[in-house]
Amino acid sequence: MANYFPPEHNGSAFNCIYCDVYAAQRWTTLLVRNPSGGFATVQGFDRCICSKCKEASFWFNGKQVVPASSTAPLAHELLPEDCKADYEEARNIVAASPKAAAALMRLVIQKLMKSLGESGKNINDDIKSLVTKGLPTLIQKALDYCRVVGNNAVHPGEIELNDSPEIANQLFAMVNYIVEDRIARPRAIEAMYESLPDSAKNAIAKRDSQG
């Protein structure tokens, strides 16, 4: 799954909020015409234009105000249905409250565990169980990243999310990465395998049944 770079104030390149393409961004100070002639700078306002789609976003005091939609990536299309509402709510509030968004994403991970065959009662125990079943190290690290950041949102910890909003934004990319590896990729491989002729699949089954 491709890396996602969320829009950031004065960032030279990131994933555009309109076209979602990673592209260079051009920043200009917002100007308005004076009634007496000429132009004046609007204090605190900036305009950002995507080099790919040419659409403009507007920022005030370092925060995106137009469009008002989230800078976090959209949910993976195969994210389980019972996770989607919490994911979208977290996207909608991450700019205003990274801590609240991280807490919601912790809930998303907890629900996702059930789709991965675990109990969904204790994230740490579920990750341990998945590791004993052969969970790849990178996915374990992604899950633990979400667990630790989410726990810091619920209980006081060493990570101050309101001071480091980019940490909360990374949760969305991590969840999508987990879904891609654990759900989307196995489903795609299974579909390709099932497209093989029955004779080929029967021969494979016969081969594997022989000691």
Side-chain angles (χ1 to χ4, degrees), residues 100-170:
L104 280 168
M105 291 304 288
R106 181 184 183 278
L107 180 59
V108 169
I109 285 292
Q110 194 162 355
K111 291 180 177 180
L112 183 58
M113 285 298 183
K114 290 185 177 181
S115 296
L116 300 182
E118 302 303 321
S119 69
K121 294 179 180 179
N122 184 293
I123 298 175
N124 197 43
D125 289 344
D126 287 345
I127 295 174
K128 181 179 179 181
S129 174
L130 288 170
V131 168
T132 64
K133 298 173 184 176
L135 184 74
T137 301
L138 279 178
I139 305 303
Q140 170 257 307
K141 289 181 177 180
L143 285 168
D144 275 321
Y145 179 93
C146 296
R147 176 183 64 83
V148 172
V149 173
N151 285 348
N152 273 262
V154 178
H155 308 290
E158 298 177 7
I159 303 173
E160 182 45 66
L161 292 167
N162 287 332
D163 292 340
S164 304
E166 68 278 2
I167 295 176
N169 269 289
Q170 287 301 324

Side-chain angles (χ1 to χ4, degrees), residues 2-147:
N3 290 330
Y4 177 83
F5 298 90
E8 61 176 340
H9 187 240
N10 283 331
S12 60
F14 48 70
N15 287 78
C16 174
I17 191 66
Y18 291 102
C19 65
D20 201 38
V21 172
Y22 180 79
Q25 307 292 325
R26 181 167 62 88
W27 290 86
T28 59
T29 301
L30 191 62
L31 302 174
V32 294
R33 187 183 296 274
N34 281 326
S36 57
F39 292 88
T41 300
V42 181
Q43 196 67 32
F45 272 99
D46 298 296
R47 179 175 65 173
C48 176
I49 300 176
C50 173
S51 64
K52 179 67 175 179
C53 68
K54 311 304 181 187
E55 292 285 352
S57 60
F58 296 88
W59 300 63
F60 179 66
N61 288 342
K63 292 186 177 181
Q64 180 182 298
V65 292
V66 178
S69 54
S70 174
T71 59
L74 295 171
H76 195 291
E77 60 182 2
L78 293 183
L79 181 70
E81 287 298 322
D82 63 340
C83 298
K84 287 182 177 178
D86 295 317
Y87 186 104
E88 287 305 315
E89 185 177 349
R91 282 189 76 241
N92 291 335
I93 65 172
V94 67
S97 178
K99 184 174 290 187
L104 280 168
M105 291 304 288
R106 181 184 183 278
L107 180 59
V108 169
I109 285 292
Q110 194 162 355
K111 291 180 177 180
L112 183 58
M113 285 298 183
K114 290 185 177 181
S115 296
L116 300 182
E118 302 303 321
S119 69
K121 294 179 180 179
N122 184 293
I123 298 175
N124 197 43
D125 289 344
D126 287 345
I127 295 174
K128 181 179 179 181
S129 174
L130 288 170
V131 168
T132 64
K133 298 173 184 176
L135 184 74
T137 301
L138 279 178
I139 305 303
Q140 170 257 307
K141 289 181 177 180
L143 285 168
D144 275 321
Y145 179 93
C146 296
R147 176 183 64 83

